[in-house]
Amino acid sequence: MDGRKVKIACRRLFMTILEENVKKYYQSGYNCSETLLHACNETYQLDISEEDMKMMAGFGGGMFIGSTCGALIGSIAALSKMVCRTKAHEMLPELRPLIQKHTRNFKELLGSLDCAHIKPVHHSTDPNIKCMNTCLLAAKALEKTMEEEHLL
């Protein structure tokens, strides 16, 4: 198998692992923002402590008011951890286009950035599923962004 095919196979493996981790954390009772960051932390070895993960709690359900989707916030937190070496203002040339691309990819897959618009389309009344579909689509958007930016 040539190098390009190996790289593509590795990307697909990471994508499968990320999706499985999203399911695992969502089914463990984490909200959408917690789920995305936990799944990314495990998949990409971001070394975020369980104590620090608590910072994501207030972002679920669009900060509980239907605003920016928590799954988007969690995935942006993961991307930020992956690329920021110092402060955001010092990383703007890399960070700004990355986050802009990710929000475009997210909106393309989910139709909006806001929970209030995403939930009526992707939320399930099944108590075992609820926002899992949103989280899985957010993971796909993240994977697309990472692939486009050669972060995988």
Side-chain angles (χ1 to χ4, degrees):
M1 194 182 292
D2 69 45
R4 180 168 159 63
K5 288 181 182 177
V6 169
K7 196 170 187 178
I8 290 169
C10 287
R11 284 183 189 149
R12 287 190 183 129
L13 177 62
F14 271 122
M15 291 178 197
T16 301
I17 292 169
L18 179 60
E19 290 169 9
E20 288 303 313
N21 284 334
V22 163
K23 289 177 187 175
K24 176 176 82 173
Y25 285 105
Y26 194 81
Q27 290 171 340
S28 295
Y30 289 102
N31 72 25
C32 51
S33 62
E34 293 170 316
T35 292
L36 263 293
L37 192 55
H38 272 89
C40 288
N41 189 45
E42 184 171 331
T43 304
Y44 304 115
Q45 300 175 353
L46 301 180
D47 199 30
I48 302 169
S49 74
E50 188 62 34
E51 186 65 26
D52 290 339
M53 288 286 183
K54 293 176 183 177
M55 291 185 289
M56 299 309 294
F59 294 104
M63 295 172 277
F64 303 110
I65 59 169
S67 189
T68 305
C69 177
L72 175 60
I73 292 170
S75 57
I76 288 174
L79 283 171
S80 297
K81 174 71 171 165
M82 288 177 201
V83 302
C84 272
R85 293 179 303 280
T86 58
K87 301 176 216 136
H89 286 143
E90 294 173 2
M91 300 297 301
L92 284 180
E94 295 168 83
L95 191 60
R96 179 181 284 138
L98 175 65
I99 301 308
Q100 289 172 340
K101 182 173 283 188
H102 181 54
T103 55
R104 279 192 303 272
N105 288 339
F106 185 96
K107 188 173 183 179
E108 182 179 290
L109 282 176
L110 286 113
S112 179
L113 303 178
D114 290 333
C115 181
H117 300 289
I118 293 169
K119 193 172 181 178
V121 177
H122 299 287
H123 186 268
S124 173
T125 56
D126 181 333
N128 296 314
I129 297 175
K130 299 189 306 188
C131 286
M132 189 183 327
N133 294 330
T134 297
C135 291
L136 288 168
L137 287 170
K140 286 190 181 304
L142 177 63
E143 292 163 347
K144 181 178 180 186
T145 302
M146 291 175 67
E147 189 168 335
E148 289 170 353
E149 293 298 310
H150 309 290
L151 295 173
L152 282 179

